[in-house]
Every structure is written in structure tokens, then in C-alpha cells.
């Protein structure tokens, strides 16, 4: 790429908030190249033995996109630059999604350690440390009482992420982990783009986080209440729920359709309706 294009790319990266919106709203080889330039200028691969172990794991699992492996008695995950076979509503092209995820993880961890530690970044794959158990599994393995504090921490972690000007894109509880030994929440899968470009991405984050909880169809809302309490425990983010309510009201026709269709018990539709009802009722508390 010409030098003037490289300079343009680096100028676009000055504001983290602007660059993340820029990445999410563009999807072409040119913009992918811009992301690649920035990522490569900031990160250097150091452990060649780790790279060899990762390449061996890839060779043994040639068809898999996400591969767990062990190196020096430590658990790691490989994420490869290849399609996951899903539609492009939330996902971009493999190249754009790969470099978006790399950029976002590195940028977030510079400000607040809420993304998986990137220990190796190559042209075709990323290696990150294992960060614990997904909240979806936590809720199934532990009692509600044991899980409450973990979900409080998850809500607080999401608010912390937002308070630093970042967003995740789709913080579903299957992609949020809890490391019991370190007492730490981590957000996985940073490759999602913002689906509603005219809406604040942090507002969408909060809605999708709650919706992923309602998809589990738990018998009570205790874990959801704990997560909300955790989010509200950060004073700077307390007004975010007002933004979510405004989002619901601005898209009232869509939510009205979901309310009608919820009688069919399609979980994706039902969970949207339940999330909207829950958030709107919060305004009375």
C-alpha cells in the first residue's frame, strides 16, 4: 500500500472510539488493510515455541476455526482467520472480522483487562489465554446463590467496559467467562459489528447482554437482577438504562411485532420481548 494510504490509516486510529466505529461501519479489503497496518505496527510475536505448538494444533484440527491446546501446562485457544459459516448480519468478512477482533482486544486490554490476553498474533490466527468458564455454564453448574456474585461482577465489568468508551458488539453470556481463581470476568468473541448503526453501540450491548440471559429461560430473574445491580453500581453508567428504554420506544413497532409473535415461543423472539418488558419496568423502580 502506498505511504499516503498508510498515513491515512494511522490518522484514523487516533481516537479509539472513532476507529472502532470506523471498523464496524466499513467492510472492504481496503479498510481491512488499514486495520492490518495498525495491528501489525503495535504487536510483535515473541514466543516461537508457542507458535510452533499452535501450528501443530492447527495441523491436527485443520477444519476447526477455534482450537484449544495446551503449551507448558497452560491452556490456550487459537482463533483462525476463516469463516464461521454464519450470516453477515452480526459478522463481517473473515478478514475484516479477524483484524477487528485483534484490534479491539489489544485496545481494550491497554485500558482495562476485560478481553482475553493476546499472547500471539499471526497473519492467519490469534492465540489467547484460557479465561475460565462461560457464564452460561456457570449458571447451570452452580446454585443461584453461588452465581449471584458472579453475575454482579459481569454486570459491573460490562459497565466498566462502557465507561472506558468501548463496547463489545454482542456480549452474550456464552461469550463471557468467569475465572474463579482470579475472580475475573472476561469478554470473548470481539469480532461482531454493530448491527444498528444509528444507535449507540453501548446501548445495544446492554440490551443484547440482558437478552442473552432471558434466552436461558431461568425460572426466576435473580441472576439478571444481580447483573443489573452490578451494572448500576458504576455511577457513570446509571443513565444507560434510560438509553435502552429510549431505544425500545424508538423501535416500538419492531417490539410490538415481537410481543405478538412471542406466543409461538420462538426463543429469539420471546427473549427480545421479555428483555423489553423487563427494561421498561425498571423505569418504575
Amino acid at each position: 500500500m502506498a505511504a499516503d494510504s498508510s498515513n491515512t490509516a494511522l490518522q484514523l486510529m487516533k481516537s479509539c472510539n472513532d476507529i472502532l466505529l470506523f471498523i464496524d461501519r466499513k467492510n472492504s479489503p481496503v479498510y481491512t488493510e488499514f486495520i492490518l497496518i495498525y495491528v501489525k505496527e503495535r504487536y510483535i510475536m515473541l514466543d516461537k515455541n508457542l507458535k510452533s505448538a499452535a501450528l501443530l494444533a492447527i495441523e491436527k484440527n485443520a477444519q476447526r476455526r477455534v482450537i484449544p491446546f495446551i503449551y507448558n501446562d497452560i491452556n490456550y485457544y487459537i482463533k483462525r482467520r476463516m469463516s464461521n459459516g454464519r450470516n453477515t448480519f452480526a459478522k463481517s468478512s473473515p478478514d475484516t472480522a479477524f483484524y477487528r477482533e485483534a484490534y479491539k482486544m489489544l485496545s481494550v486490554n491497554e485500558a482495562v483487562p476485560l478481553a482475553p490476553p493476546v499472547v500471539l498474533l499471526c497473519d492467519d490466527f490469534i492465540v489467547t489465554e484460557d479465561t475460565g468458564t462461560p457464564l452460561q455454564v456457570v449458571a447451570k453448574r452452580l446454585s443461584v446463590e453461588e452465581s449471584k456474585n458472579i453475575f454482579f461482577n459481569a454486570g459491573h465489568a460490562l459497565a466498566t467496559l462502557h465507561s472506558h468508551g468501548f463496547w463489545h458488539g454482542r456480549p452474550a453470556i456464552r461469550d463471557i467467562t468467569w475465572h474463579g481463581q482470579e475472580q475475573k470476568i472476561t469478554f470473548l468473541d470481539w469480532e461482531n459489528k454493530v448491527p444498528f448503526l444509528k444507535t449507540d453501540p453501548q446501548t445495544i450491548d446492554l440490551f443484547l447482554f440482558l437478552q442473552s440471559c432471558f434466552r436461558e429461560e431461568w425460572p426466576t430473574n435473580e441472576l439478571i437482577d444481580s447483573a443489573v445491580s452490578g451494572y448500576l453500581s458504576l455511577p457513570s453508567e446509571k443513565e444507560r438504562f434510560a438509553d435502552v428504554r429510549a431505544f425500545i420506544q424508538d423501535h416500538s413497532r419492531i417490539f410490538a411485532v415481537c410481543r405478538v409473535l412471542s406466543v409461538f415461543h420462538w426463543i429469539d423472539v420471546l427473549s427480545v420481548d421479555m428483555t423489553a418488558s423487563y427494561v421498561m419496568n425498571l423505569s418504575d423502580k
Side-chain angles (χ1 to χ4, degrees), residues 115-140:
V118 177
V119 296
L120 181 63
L121 175 59
C122 300
D123 287 342
D124 295 314
F125 64 90
I126 305 170
V127 176
T128 59
E129 294 180 7
D130 177 39
T131 56
T133 306
L135 296 191
Q136 188 180 49
V137 177
V138 167
K140 292 176 180 177

Side-chain angles (χ1 to χ4, degrees), residues 106-274:
L106 292 169
S107 297
V108 166
N109 281 337
E110 283 187 359
V112 57
L114 288 173
V118 177
V119 296
L120 181 63
L121 175 59
C122 300
D123 287 342
D124 295 314
F125 64 90
I126 305 170
V127 176
T128 59
E129 294 180 7
D130 177 39
T131 56
T133 306
L135 296 191
Q136 188 180 49
V137 177
V138 167
K140 292 176 180 177
R141 289 181 180 173
L142 303 181
S143 68
V144 171
E145 286 303 315
E146 291 174 309
S147 300
K148 278 183 179 179
N149 183 59
I150 296 172
F151 275 77
F152 180 95
N153 278 278
H156 183 80
L158 185 62
T160 301
L161 181 74
H162 292 167
S163 72
H164 282 80
F166 297 101
W167 64 91
H168 179 272
R170 192 208 59 196
I173 59 171
R174 67 176 178 269
D175 293 324
I176 304 173
T177 59
W178 171 252
H179 196 295
Q181 202 168 23
E182 297 181 4
Q183 297 285 288
K184 184 177 182 299
I185 290 288
T186 302
F187 295 89
L188 312 179
D189 198 8
W190 290 82
E191 64 188 53
N192 298 281
K193 62 184 178 182
V194 179
F196 299 97
L197 297 182
K198 293 183 180 180
T199 303
D200 174 58
Q202 293 158 337
T203 299
I204 297 297
D205 254 13
L206 182 52
F207 185 92
L208 293 178
F209 171 68
L210 296 174
Q211 189 241 346
S212 77
C213 292
F214 280 107
R215 288 189 88 261
E216 299 300 305
E217 298 186 284
W218 296 320
T220 72
N221 290 342
E222 291 179 78
L223 295 183
I224 300 171
D225 292 341
S226 294
V228 169
S229 295
Y231 194 95
L232 292 173
S233 68
L234 199 62
S236 66
E237 303 306 302
K238 285 187 175 181
E239 295 302 313
R240 189 76 61 194
F241 279 94
D243 296 335
V244 178
R245 287 193 290 273
F247 165 74
I248 294 169
Q249 291 167 341
D250 290 344
H251 298 83
S252 58
R253 291 184 180 180
I254 295 174
F255 287 100
V257 171
C258 289
R259 170 68 51 97
V260 172
L261 294 177
S262 65
V263 298
F264 295 104
H265 204 80
W266 297 326
I267 190 59
D268 287 327
V269 175
L270 181 62
S271 58
V272 167
D273 180 56
M274 294 174 70

